[in-house]
Every structure is written in C-alpha cells, then in structure tokens.
Amino acid sequence: MNFEYFTPTKVVFGRGTEERTGELVKEQGCHKVLIHYGGGSAVRSGLIDKICGSLEASGISYVMLGGVVPNPRLSKVREGIRLCREEQVDFLLAVGGGSVIDSAKAIGYGLANEGDVWDFYDRKRTAAGCMPVGAVLTIAAAGSEMSDSSVITNEDGWIKRGYSSNYCRCRFAVMDPELTCTLPDYQTQSGCVDIMMHTMERYFNLSDNMELTDGISEALIRTVMKNAKLLKADAANYEARAEVMWASSLSHNGLTGCGTGGGDWASHQIEHELGGMFDVAHGAGLAAIWGSWARYVYREHPERFARFAVQIFGLEDNGDPNALALAGIEKMEEFYRSVGMPTSLKELGVESTDAQIREMAEKCSFFGKRTVGVMKKLDASDVEAIYRMARG
Amino acid sequence: MNFEYFTPTKVVFGRGTEERTGELVKEQGCHKVLIHYGGGSAVRSGLIDKICGSLEASGISYVMLGGVVPNPRLSKVREGIRLCREEQVDFLLAVGGGSVIDSAKAIGYGLANEGDVWDFYDRKRTAAGCMPVGAVLTIAAAGSEMSDSSVITNEDGWIKRGYSSNYCRCRFAVMDPELTCTLPDYQTQSGCVDIMMHTMERYFNLSDNMELTDGISEALIRTVMKNAKLLKADAANYEARAEVMWASSLSHNGLTGCGTGGGDWASHQIEHELGGMFDVAHGAGLAAIWGSWARYVYREHPERFARFAVQIFGLEDNGDPNALALAGIEKMEEFYRSVGMPTSLKELGVESTDAQIREMAEKCSFFGKRTVGVMKKLDASDVEAIYRMARG
C-alpha cells in the first residue's frame, strides 16, 4: 500500500523546554506572536508569564487571546483572525491542548486565505496556505501538535467538522511532561483514550497492515494503557506523563498509519456529533462509542480484531477469530472501565432522545452525502444503530 | 531524558513513486538538478531515464554525475562541487543508497559554505547550511534518506569520517521497494544489519530508555530480522522489501533514539576504520564487530542486554542478567550467520596485521583525542582489544 509521510514539526521534549519558546519562534524568522490559550490555569500556573519572558528575551512582541473552550468554537476563531489582522501578527503560538492548537490552526487558515474560514471545514474550498503555528503542549491527547488536522465547532447548528492539510502542521512543539502533571484524572484518562484511538482508527481496516506499522502501533497502545493505569494511581508520575505525551504525538503524526491506506475513523466521526451536541470530553466520548462500533463491524475482518486481542491483551489464539475478536473488544471495555472511562452513552452522562440520535446520525452522514468508515461503510441508519447500541 | 526530534523529509513510498520525482523537485522551487548516482545499474535498469523523463515533464533541467563508490570518496565530492558551481545547480538529487546520498550531502555542504568541505568532517568547523538534497532510494540500509548524517572517506590517509547536522536532511525521499528487488543477497543482508544496528546503537546505553522508544525499537528489530530471512529465500518478495525499506528510514531518522540520550555508536566508529582501510561492506563490517563489542561492554549494564535477549529472541528471564546477556549476544550472532553475515574479521575476509589493528585503533580514537561509546568509554587500547577479539 503506497503512502506519504511528512512530519516537519520540530519537537523539543523534556523538563523546562518551555523556556526555549522565544528562541524557537525567532528561528522561524517571525516577530509578532498571538499567544492563544484556554482557561485561566495556564495563567495561574505561571506558564504564560514564563513564555512571555522567553519571547521578550528573544525580542519577540506578542498579543494574547484566551478563552478557547473544549470543542473549540468558530466565533473564537473569527475573533482571533480579526485580532491578528489588526495587530499584524505573523506567528500563532498555541499554549494548551488540542482545542487550543486546533483553534490556532483555524485562525492560521483564516489569515492565509481570503473569504470565510468555515468554507474549509464545510468542504466548500481547500486552503492554499496557513500562517505558521507553534505549540506549547499542556494536555497530552489530541496529537494536534504534530498532526495535519484541526476540528472546529460551528455554534450555528452546533456542527463539529475537521479539516486536514499539511499547511497547518506545527513548526515546532514544546513538550514538557511536567506541565501535564496537574491535569485532573478524568481529563488525563480521556486523553489516553484519544491517543489510543488515533492509532486504533488506523489499525482497524480491511487489509493487513505493514508488519512494522502494526508492531509500532501495538507497542504504542500497550505503552499508553500501562501508563494510564500508573497515572490513575499517581497523577504526578513524570515518567508516565512523558510516555503518554510522546505517544500522543506519535499516535497522530501519521507514523501509525503508514501503509494502512488511511484507516477507518468512523468512531471519531460518530463521536464528533456527540461532542457537537452534548459537549462531552472527546476521549470519553470515543470510549463510550468504540465497543458498539467494534461489535457492529468486526465481522467484516475478524482476523484484524483477533490479532488485536492477541497482541494487546495476550489472549491465546484459539483459531476462532470471531470469538477472539469479541473477547478482545470485551477486554478493551474492561480496560476503559478500569481507568474510569465510560463504555456507554449512559455512563458518559448523555441521556439522548430518539430524535437527537436521529439528528446526530443525519449530521454524521452529512445528510446522506457521505458514509463513514472503511471496515464497513456506514450510512445514517448504520450510525443510528451504533448510537442506539451505545446507549447502555 | 530531554530530546529533540526533527524529521522534515517528505516520504513518498510505494510502487512507481519514482515517476513523481520531477513534481517533488518543483515543489521545492528548484530549477536545475544534479543527478548523482553510483554504478551503471541505475542507468541499465532504466531508472535514470525514468527520472530524467519525470524532471523534463516538470520543466526541470539537469546534469549528471555518476561513479560514486561504497565508502564514498572526497575526490568525487570535490568533483561534484566544481560541476555544480559551473552548471549553477540548485538541487542535488541522489539516486542510489547511503553512499550516493552521503556524497550528495557533502556536495551540498561544499556548495553552501566557503572553504574546504573536509573541514566539517575533520571537526575543524561547523557548517552553516547545505544545498537542498533529495533522494530516490535504491538500497535500503544506511537510512541516510531521513537522517542528519553523512560519512565520507578521504583517500589521503583513507580516513572515514561522519558529519551530522539538520541542514543536510533530505527535502524528500522517494522509496519504491521494487527498485531494491534486484539487489544481490550479500548487499541485502548487509543492509539489514546496518538497519538493525542503527537502532541497536541507540538501544544500548547506560540508562533505561523510554518504554515507548524501546517498544518501537524492538518491533523494528524483530521486523527486519524476520524479513531479512524472507529475502534470503526470495530476493524479489515485494512486501519484505517494503518492510525493510521503511525500517531503514525509521531506524535512523531519530525515532528510535528519543529519550535515549543519544546512544552508544562505538560499533559504528570501530567499523568506520575497517571500511576506510579494507573497503568492506558497512553492514557486514558491523556484524563482524558487534559480538566482540557486546562481550567487551555488556557488564557495564547487563540488564539492558538481558532485556534485549528477552524481547528480541524470546529467551526466558531466568533472573541472571549476565547469563541472559551473553545468551542474547550468542543468538544475535547465530542470526547473523543464518543470513550469511560474518561474525569475525576472518569471516569478513579481512586478514589484518597487528600493525594494521593498532593503526585502526589509533585512527578510531583520533590519535588519543577522543573515546568512543557510552556503555563504556573506549580508548585506543579498548578498541584495539575489540579488533583482536573480533579477529576470529
């Protein structure tokens, strides 16, 4: 299976690396930065001050725009575009997790292209560029610091859409695992699910992957599971934070997709509508959906799920791929529950009406204009069935 | 352990990808290419014609310089620099394996910097840039297509030296596994050893690595070993060629070194002198040296060698790391022999005098100015002892 692999992001990983932010922006030849961030924790912890000091030391000026929320919103993106135009910003520095980075990428598209930025997310046009983005990562989850993707929610209809292109890949990513040590457990575990799922979406497809890609993917999933459990017991375990943080980037920079033909991604598409309508934590939403998706599709290629069961959970190959596949799905749900993650919409805290489920399924299929997934091409009625199975 | 990771090379992998060479050079905004290659096989196979056609179709002009030999030579580099200056070349296209790519990188340093290019390899100065280099890979081994390194042999004294910087990383790498299907078995297996060793050099160090890096490294080594055996039986196995080719890049692009503190590299340094003096195949030279190096140093951190034995060969952990370490070293040598690789200088075909061994050890230690390795810092007398152990 032919593939392309392009990960130009310069990673600077380890303790104290946030002190190098100014030097890294300067390396890019940029002069005025938008510091884009979420809630007040980045301010209260002193991180924003440190970054401002580092920028000043490199002779870089800046303006700030905070208030990015999970499932980041189009209105904030528009606010950022206006501000950056007024202030003649030439570099976007995201200080936060996936939501903040995705919001910065969307601002970058808006600045480098004419017209309405939502057009790209709405598949009306393709972008011809993106203003340079860099990241100081504070939440290990989305992998947006090395990925080509960005997901934005349009409050007009609460539609959540992703747009991907190499233009938006971060120029650099500063990753100090220590910055994630104070993250609440639910967010940590939700992040771990998201990391695993970025690899699992690529792992499950109709063909057999390259062995090297499978081996790397399995090592990554096992590493994240082990360290998620360690973090459940001790949130401040630096080594475990480091493993999870590096896994977050490798899981979504394309490495685990080499030779897979692109992966399935149905679970992500199905969860996006949940996130758009109910504003749930993305990883928790994925955990709540995955088992139902897997049971709905595993018969299309049970051998892939069987391999997963053997390599990830050490189940013995009994020669019955269907039984092995189901046992592996069961084991994964057990793992999710063991780290406090939901395996149904009910456990996720979502009480959905039939009408809401139909609406999400319709939105997910772009009102009949697309199917999602490759293991099985799912139309609106398939997606509706999966939401119903996941109700719990 | 803090680290940086930077792999900007755009990889275009799979059947027929050489047809995209022209488009890829054009993407870089370049106009005149040096096509740099080795022997006549790239011409006879029609590959050079295909590449010329692809460049012409993209409106890119070119000049040619062939004749690069294994352990590529400084005189050819100087010839390339002169030719490129005369012809106002702005892009260096290496068509071949590590030797050709390394030679192109050296030409790139020579063109982008004043003064003598050997100064960089001789540690007299550091380079401030490199003319853009791209690669069409025809031998999976050196990993130079994604690495920051380049190794050149100066015929004046037959000194082989490496120089590393991010400047020389390839802009793109075209990897069609089919181009390697006609490679003779000895070169294939020698390449596989080189690939494994690029990860093993990073794997063996005094600390414990990141689990994720260890897991990826072990998956990579197992994959190469399995596919080296498949290629021994069937040199034209496309899937096996693809696994080995992608492993060659991942093994040396920095991925398997993340959080390892840089790795050991003594085996490479010790082999370089062999290559410089006896012109042996690099991977075969590494196979001939590695067991002796490992037995000389394993007591510094037997647990690392013990883990290797368990993870790579499935040996049972009997609680005796020293015994396990030795058993693993033994198993690796068995593997080398099983694919026709030497495990001593004698099997490598090198009959060295005591004076030659002393000379290589002196050169390897830069005449007393450096030690090599981190597992154990080896001076000239250590290196001499390892050459003697390896004599066989």
Side-chain angles (χ1 to χ4, degrees), chain A residues 234-302:
Chain A
D234 175 12
N237 181 332
Y238 178 85
E239 283 72 27
R241 290 286 182 186
E243 297 286 352
V244 166
M245 189 174 239
W246 187 218
S248 81
S249 298
L250 293 186
S251 191
H252 204 26
N253 75 357
L255 180 66
T256 62
C258 292
T260 66
D264 188 89
W265 298 103
S267 300
H268 263 76
Q269 312 285 13
I270 294 171
E271 195 287 327
H272 277 180
E273 302 309 327
L274 271 180
M277 189 178 284
F278 298 100
D279 216 18
V280 298
H282 175 54
L286 288 170
I289 285 291
W290 184 79
S292 299
W293 167 81
R295 287 191 186 86
Y296 197 82
V297 306
Y298 79 94
R299 279 197 189 82
E300 307 294 322
H301 192 185

Side-chain angles (χ1 to χ4, degrees), chain A residues 2-11 13-15 20 210-212 215 219-220 226-227 242-243 246-247 258, chain B residues 2-11 13-15 20 210-212 215 219-220 226-227 242-243 246-247 258:
Chain A
N2 288 13
F3 66 84
E4 284 191 26
Y5 179 73
F6 181 54
T7 59
T9 306
K10 181 172 184 172
V11 172
F13 191 101
R15 278 201 173 94
R20 291 180 55 190
M210 287 180 80
E211 281 173 49
L212 183 52
L220 188 145
K226 181 175 164 188
N227 287 284
E243 297 286 352
W246 187 218
C258 292
Chain B
N2 288 12
F3 66 85
E4 284 191 26
Y5 178 74
F6 181 53
T7 58
T9 307
K10 181 173 184 172
V11 172
F13 192 102
R15 277 200 173 94
R20 291 180 54 191
M210 287 180 79
E211 281 173 50
L212 183 52
L220 188 145
K226 181 175 164 190
N227 288 284
E243 298 285 350
W246 187 219
C258 292

Side-chain angles (χ1 to χ4, degrees), chain A residues 225-384:
Chain A
M225 288 172 69
K226 181 175 164 188
N227 287 284
K229 287 198 170 186
L230 292 174
L231 290 172
K232 188 95 198 157
D234 175 12
N237 181 332
Y238 178 85
E239 283 72 27
R241 290 286 182 186
E243 297 286 352
V244 166
M245 189 174 239
W246 187 218
S248 81
S249 298
L250 293 186
S251 191
H252 204 26
N253 75 357
L255 180 66
T256 62
C258 292
T260 66
D264 188 89
W265 298 103
S267 300
H268 263 76
Q269 312 285 13
I270 294 171
E271 195 287 327
H272 277 180
E273 302 309 327
L274 271 180
M277 189 178 284
F278 298 100
D279 216 18
V280 298
H282 175 54
L286 288 170
I289 285 291
W290 184 79
S292 299
W293 167 81
R295 287 191 186 86
Y296 197 82
V297 306
Y298 79 94
R299 279 197 189 82
E300 307 294 322
H301 192 185
E303 294 75 14
R304 200 99 263 274
F305 283 89
R307 178 182 165 127
F308 185 76
V310 171
Q311 293 295 327
I312 303 300
F313 298 105
L315 297 184
E316 208 181 324
D317 190 349
N318 56 7
D320 179 350
N322 283 308
L324 210 46
L326 284 172
I329 295 166
E330 192 72 37
K331 279 276 183 194
M332 184 48 80
E333 290 189 322
E334 263 173 44
F335 167 78
Y336 285 152
R337 285 189 290 265
S338 77
V339 292
M341 284 287 104
T343 55
S344 68
L345 298 187
K346 196 174 166 191
E347 287 169 21
L348 180 64
V350 165
E351 300 282 350
S352 50
T353 63
D354 286 353
Q356 284 173 318
I357 280 188
R358 263 195 304 276
E359 188 186 334
M360 287 192 294
E362 283 298 322
K363 278 182 178 171
C364 185
S365 71
F366 287 10
F367 305 98
K369 281 195 211 125
R370 70 163 183 185
T371 60
V372 295
V374 299
M375 287 289 290
K376 187 178 166 76
K377 289 186 194 304
L378 306 169
D379 63 18
S381 69
D382 294 312
V383 172
E384 188 178 336

Side-chain angles (χ1 to χ4, degrees), chain B residues 3 22 32 36 61 63 65 73 107 112 120 157 183 189 196 202 217 230 235 246 258 272 282 287 314 320 363 377 385:
Chain B
F3 66 85
K32 183 147 185 190
H36 201 36
S61 60
V63 288
L65 180 62
R73 297 182 184 175
I107 294 171
F120 307 125
L183 211 61
Q189 300 302 337
M196 290 163 61
R202 292 169 165 100
S217 298
L230 291 174
W246 187 219
C258 292
H272 278 180
H282 174 53
D320 179 350
K363 278 183 179 171
K377 288 184 196 306

Side-chain angles (χ1 to χ4, degrees), chain B residues 126-147:
Chain B
T126 57
C130 184
M131 182 172 282
V133 179
V136 177
L137 197 64
T138 63
I139 304 175
S144 187
E145 65 278 5
M146 284 186 91
S147 83

Side-chain angles (χ1 to χ4, degrees), chain B residues 59 118 223 273 319:
Chain B
W118 183 249
T223 300
E273 302 308 326

